[in-house]
Amino acid sequence: MPTSNSGPIFSGTDAYVATDDLKIAVNAAVTLGRPLLVKGEPGTGKTVLAQEIARALDAPLITWGIKSTTKAHQGLYEYDAVTRLRDSQLGDPRVADIANYIRCGKLWDAFESPERPVLLIDEIDKADIEFPNDLLHELDRMEFFVHETGQTVKAAVRPVVIITSNNEKELPDAFLRRCFFHYIRFPDEATMRAIVAVHFPNIKERLLSQALTAFYALREAPGLKKRPSTSELLDWLKLLVSDDVDPEALRSKEGGLSTPFLGALLKNEQDVQLVERVAFLSRAGR
């Protein structure tokens, strides 16, 4: 991994094609010591980015997957008062030390890591609107106070923090000000070819060309509820290669969309019906 006076430099990996603007964003966030907030369509590699940064830096990856019920304090720690009460009723000597009932959260794990980790806070927009603001102090100062034990947990070394969002809801301005922001644009064909080459280095050029033409035409079909993503393209290509599909089977027929294994690309019945209807109308008009 190359380094500079300002710290590690991320330049992508053999398994992850990073565009120049993404490399700049990662390195800027590391230099500034700010969380990198990454947005983009589902399936554009936001989560994988954190995994590959950790691999490139040879750093431990700590992942905090956010759900609609997740609360900010769970990332710090949780006090298990119920178990302590039960143990006290059973005469368990562990109740004398309240620390036995403190469960460390992902931020605690990251702060106590002896080497700089990559902390992934994945899909932050799934949580309550106040969730990001509840982490402002901890992410700013890289420390928090454990009230039950009187202990201050402070990061030995500032982690690389990657935060992903699918734009399901707007994030608070105060939180956004503390992040370095990057939007991962959907890959153009040249970038997509580079991504495909990582996963299918021996794919036939004719098959790839026809597949990409069909794929981008499908993404542009009007009325789609969920456009297929990069990860879905890779699944589709795996099926095409495995089944040795004739590239001609993917050729658009006078505006229709010819797509074997359509279920690898489209994920709801409305979109499947829409594409099938377009294909039917195209055939009927010939």
Side-chain angles (χ1 to χ4, degrees), residues 138-282:
E138 290 75 15
L139 291 177
D140 256 354
R141 303 189 62 180
M142 288 291 157
E143 66 178 40
F144 62 89
F145 185 70
V146 183
H147 296 277
E148 289 77 4
T149 63
Q151 173 187 7
T152 297
V153 178
K154 186 177 180 66
V157 57
R158 179 177 286 271
V160 176
V161 182
I162 308 297
I163 303 173
T164 71
S165 169
N166 287 327
N167 255 350
E168 291 185 9
K169 63 170 69 78
E170 289 296 322
L171 299 174
D173 288 344
F175 178 79
L176 293 175
R177 284 196 298 271
R178 288 165 170 82
C179 297
F180 192 96
F181 172 76
H182 181 73
Y183 183 85
I184 297 182
R185 296 179 179 85
F186 194 83
D188 59 21
E189 184 170 336
T191 304
M192 190 65 82
R193 281 178 172 272
I195 293 170
V196 171
V198 169
H199 298 271
F200 304 100
N202 299 317
I203 192 170
K204 296 175 182 176
E205 170 58 29
R206 192 158 155 262
L207 175 61
L208 177 58
S209 294
Q210 292 290 5
L212 290 178
T213 297
F215 173 74
Y216 280 103
L218 182 60
R219 276 185 54 86
E220 296 304 315
L224 276 188
K225 188 173 181 181
K226 181 188 182 302
R227 296 187 293 177
S229 68
T230 305
S231 61
E232 287 149 354
L233 170 65
L234 295 175
D235 286 345
W236 188 50
L237 288 174
K238 184 176 182 179
L239 292 171
L240 297 180
V241 171
S242 175
D243 216 49
D244 196 21
V245 170
D246 184 346
E248 287 302 309
L250 308 179
R251 187 180 293 278
S252 178
K253 308 293 187 182
E254 298 183 19
L257 294 169
S258 180
T259 47
F261 305 116
L262 191 58
L265 294 171
L266 301 180
K267 302 301 181 180
N268 63 70
E269 63 276 15
Q270 297 99 317
D271 287 348
V272 171
Q273 290 169 4
L274 172 66
V275 171
E276 289 176 343
R277 186 162 61 249
V278 170
F280 172 79
L281 292 174
S282 175

Side-chain angles (χ1 to χ4, degrees), residues 51-73:
Q51 297 167 355
E52 292 303 314
I53 291 173
R55 191 161 77 92
L57 300 178
D58 194 22
L61 174 67
I62 298 172
T63 301
W64 185 15
I66 307 302
K67 302 178 181 178
S68 60
T69 56
T70 303
K71 301 300 180 185
H73 71 84

Side-chain angles (χ1 to χ4, degrees), residues 5-138:
N5 293 334
S6 59
I9 298 172
F10 177 72
S11 55
T13 68
D14 56 358
Y16 190 91
V17 177
T19 57
D20 289 342
D21 58 344
L22 178 56
K23 296 173 193 175
I24 290 170
V26 172
N27 294 322
V30 171
T31 299
L32 293 172
R34 291 186 179 274
L36 174 62
L37 173 62
V38 185
K39 292 187 178 183
E41 288 183 35
T44 49
K46 300 185 295 297
T47 300
V48 178
L49 171 64
Q51 297 167 355
E52 292 303 314
I53 291 173
R55 191 161 77 92
L57 300 178
D58 194 22
L61 174 67
I62 298 172
T63 301
W64 185 15
I66 307 302
K67 302 178 181 178
S68 60
T69 56
T70 303
K71 301 300 180 185
H73 71 84
Q74 294 171 323
L76 309 179
Y77 70 92
E78 292 184 90
Y79 168 49
D80 191 353
V82 173
T83 299
R84 190 181 187 210
L85 175 60
R86 182 197 63 199
D87 287 351
S88 68
Q89 293 170 339
L90 296 174
D92 192 320
R94 296 194 317 142
V95 299
D97 186 357
I98 197 171
N100 290 324
Y101 302 92
I102 300 294
R103 297 177 181 172
C104 299
K106 297 297 185 180
L107 266 71
W108 190 322
D109 291 342
F111 288 1
E112 287 203 330
S113 177
E115 54 182 313
R116 179 169 60 174
V118 174
L119 172 63
L120 169 61
I121 304 177
D122 204 17
E123 299 189 331
I124 194 172
D125 52 323
K126 283 187 174 180
D128 181 85
I129 188 63
E130 290 303 319
F131 177 92
N133 280 340
D134 290 342
L135 291 175
L136 288 180
H137 174 83
E138 290 75 15

